[in-house]
Amino acid sequence: MTPRMRLQPETMGSGLTSQRVRDRLVERLRANGIADERVLEAVRLVPRHLFVDEALATRAYEDTALPIGHGQTISQPWVVAKMTEVLLAAGPGKVLEVGTGSGYQAAILAALGLEVHTVERIGDLLRSARKRFRQLGLEVRSKHDDGRLGWPENGPFDAILVTAAAPALVEGLADQLAPGGIMVAPVGPSNAQSLVVLEREATGQLKRRELGQVVFVPLLAGLVD
Ligand code: SAH
């Protein structure tokens, strides 16, 4: 894979944030069933330690979710890799992410050369994510809005990734899926969420399957500065 990002010595880390430690995370993901080499290469390249607070940087290559402020979390690397793998299998070009958070998932998608659109309701998190995209030379389109509305002006999308959980699938989002498009979203109450995959067949019909249990922060209404 040709990296679609600017890699500089100062963003590559050292010690517990070094390339060697990122490589170890990749091996762990591989051992846990992530098989798409493009996804593994993106995880190898994107410096996750830049997407968390400096105080947590040394934990960035553990396979766990970490706090990013405002009660939110950067998703667990395995979950990011799994969602990306499912989406890549559908061969998408234009992707919408709901819930930018730290920007890590969007960065992985952009590093893979996808056209990424991402929406976040907390302005402060979005501003930090945008700084990271700039620092890494990643092209990501983003906006401060309620992502449950999607981004109709820029749609339809080949893939929609929802990274916060709702009690039920957000119907309006599926309307922004192109024929052949795929949506991945955690659905269910906080203690029993399932990762749902929705595919829009060429005929326009929606086909649903489930990938297993996950834990995400809730999808919420209303904007926060
Ligand atoms: N993809 C992120 C995961 C962040 S956690 C990452 O890689 O770091 C989920 C994010 O969804 C949080 O930042 C939260 O503020 C955001 N969110 C929750 N409800 C939302 C909504 N209705 N619209 C947009 N973003 C939302």
Side-chain angles (χ1 to χ4, degrees):
M1 183 184 82
T2 319
R4 308 290 184 105
M5 57 192 292
R6 201 185 313 126
L7 296 167
Q8 295 159 315
E10 64 269 28
T11 55
M12 297 314 285
S14 60
L16 282 172
T17 62
S18 66
Q19 190 58 54
R20 190 170 47 85
V21 180
R22 257 188 307 285
D23 290 348
R24 238 186 271 143
L25 171 63
V26 168
E27 288 321 309
R28 181 166 177 172
L29 296 178
R30 199 194 295 279
N32 286 327
I34 305 298
D36 191 316
E37 291 298 333
R38 295 166 296 178
V39 177
L40 293 168
E41 179 66 1
V43 174
R44 206 180 76 75
L45 290 175
V46 178
R48 188 170 184 257
H49 65 276
L50 299 181
F51 291 80
V52 295
D53 219 62
E54 239 171 283
L56 286 172
T58 56
R59 298 193 54 202
Y61 299 106
E62 293 174 16
D63 191 17
T64 54
L66 293 169
I68 54 172
H70 300 270
Q72 306 305 317
T73 55
I74 179 174
S75 306
Q76 180 193 348
W78 186 86
V79 172
V80 171
K82 188 68 198 171
M83 288 175 94
T84 307
E85 193 170 66
V86 168
L87 169 161
L88 272 190
K94 192 152 112 182
V95 183
L96 171 70
E97 180 195 31
V98 175
T100 315
S102 67
Y104 180 69
Q105 170 78 74
I108 291 281
L109 297 171
L112 283 161
L114 304 177
E115 183 186 321
V116 185
H117 304 249
T118 184
V119 185
E120 171 58 54
R121 66 181 278 274
I122 302 179
D124 194 39
L125 291 180
L126 187 58
R127 284 187 290 276
S128 300
R130 281 174 174 158
K131 274 189 214 147
R132 294 169 180 135
F133 301 145
R134 267 198 303 276
Q135 182 185 13
L136 293 168
L138 288 167
E139 200 184 312
V140 174
R141 282 155 235 222
S142 62
K143 75 166 172 171
H144 183 208
D145 204 351
D146 183 343
R148 294 175 310 165
L149 307 172
W151 200 333
E153 313 87 271
N154 287 0
F157 299 95
D158 301 309
I160 300 178
L161 214 61
V162 185
T163 68
L169 270 180
V170 181
E171 299 264 336
L173 281 177
D175 293 343
Q176 292 174 34
L177 267 187
I182 188 167
M183 176 156 124
V184 186
V187 175
S190 59
N191 58 349
Q193 299 165 9
S194 168
L195 201 54
V196 172
V197 179
L198 205 63
E199 278 169 271
R200 183 177 292 287
E201 298 182 322
T203 58
Q205 266 194 332
L206 289 171
K207 203 171 70 187
R208 179 184 169 130
R209 63 191 159 102
E210 297 196 7
L211 281 183
Q213 298 297 302
V214 282
V215 182
F216 277 88
V217 294
L219 190 69
L220 299 172
L223 298 191
V224 179
D225 271 354

